[in-house]
Structure formats: structure tokens, C-alpha cells
Amino acid sequence: MIHFERSLSLDATPDEVWAVLGSFMQIDRFAPDIVSVDALTTGEDGVGSKRRNHFKNGTSLVEEVTDWSPGHGYSVTLSEMAAMPLHEAFADIRIAPIGGQARVTWSFDYRVKYGPLGWLVGQTMMKVMMGRVLGGNLQGLAERVRAERR
């Protein structure tokens, strides 16, 4: 499994960040590469909630919540990701209070197809791509939290 993460401190309280992040079915409100979301489950967001994220490039994938900690974050398992060279992938988003601000850490753990060559691609090109995606998601989250405070 390859681990990658990005963090960002936001000038907001953890509760203000959770007000945006905790709307699981609305990640398209801040993630710049996601153009729409299909809710695959109904009811309150929490463990077992599933969504299909549709991306600008025409691909999609499904995320299912495996851990839900209101005010602190959540974890998901990714599936139906045929466009990605991955056997399995997991994401975790955590909010921590840091001196009057909120620090958000978004991590991604994945296992790449194609044996040793895939592992090398996962350590190089995939990390560059994931850095762009996670960084963009964190910046988008920060902008959405700021907009919600107005």
C-alpha cells in the first residue's frame, strides 16, 4: 500500500469546516475536478453512505463511508474506478483544532496494478497526480468554508 497525504490550515473553526465537509453528498461544491455527485444511498450521512463522483474528464468512481466521526472527519473506500490503475484505494479526511484554526489532513492509500512497474508508477506519477488532486480539494474546501462564513 502506498500512502500519500496533504494538509492545510484553515482560518476557521473545526465546526465551520465540518459544516461543509460533513455534507458527504455535496463534495462537488468544493472539489474542483468533480462536476457532479450521484447519491447511491438515502438517509443521513454516515457509515455505509455511498456516492458516485463524476469527474471533468468523463470518468467516475464510487466512495463508501467506512468511518464517520462528526466534527472530526471520515474515511471512505473507493470502488468502480476502472479509469484508474488501482487494485484498491482508501481516503481519510481529518479535522484537528490548531490554535484557533482547523488543520485538515486528507490522506490517500492505494495499491497499484501491474506489479513492480505499477508500484514505481504509484510512487512517482500517481503521487504527482494525487498531490494536485488533494491540494485542489483542500484549497476548494478552504474557499467554500470562507464563502459559507459570509
Side-chain angles (χ1 to χ4, degrees), residues 32-43:
D33 290 331
I34 299 175
V35 294
S36 67
V37 174
D38 297 332
L40 302 178
T41 54
T42 58

Side-chain angles (χ1 to χ4, degrees), residues 18-27 29 37-51 63 65-70 73-74:
W18 182 252
V20 174
L21 195 59
S23 296
F24 182 71
M25 299 300 176
Q26 298 177 351
I27 191 171
R29 290 177 61 213
V37 174
D38 297 332
L40 302 178
T41 54
T42 58
E44 287 189 36
D45 293 335
V47 172
S49 293
K50 290 174 85 171
R51 66 186 176 204
E63 293 181 311
V65 176
T66 56
D67 176 68
W68 186 261
S69 301
Y74 59 84

Side-chain angles (χ1 to χ4, degrees), residues 86-145:
L86 302 176
H87 279 296
E88 58 185 339
F90 310 92
D92 185 70
I93 307 166
R94 295 293 154 191
I95 306 166
I98 305 288
Q101 294 185 326
R103 182 155 186 88
V104 180
T105 301
W106 200 312
S107 65
F108 190 66
D109 292 277
Y110 55 100
R111 191 164 56 93
V112 184
K113 297 176 183 176
Y114 314 119
L117 179 60
W119 181 87
L120 183 60
V121 168
Q123 290 288 358
T124 56
M125 293 172 31
M126 287 288 296
K127 282 191 173 181
V128 170
M129 181 194 75
M130 289 314 303
R132 185 189 63 75
V133 170
L134 297 184
N137 288 354
L138 288 167
Q139 286 299 324
L141 176 62
E143 291 167 14
R144 174 55 64 183
V145 169

Side-chain angles (χ1 to χ4, degrees), residues 63-81:
E63 293 181 311
E64 180 174 357
V65 176
T66 56
D67 176 68
W68 186 261
S69 301
H72 302 285
Y74 59 84
S75 300
V76 297
T77 297
L78 285 70
S79 63
E80 299 182 37
M81 49 190 174

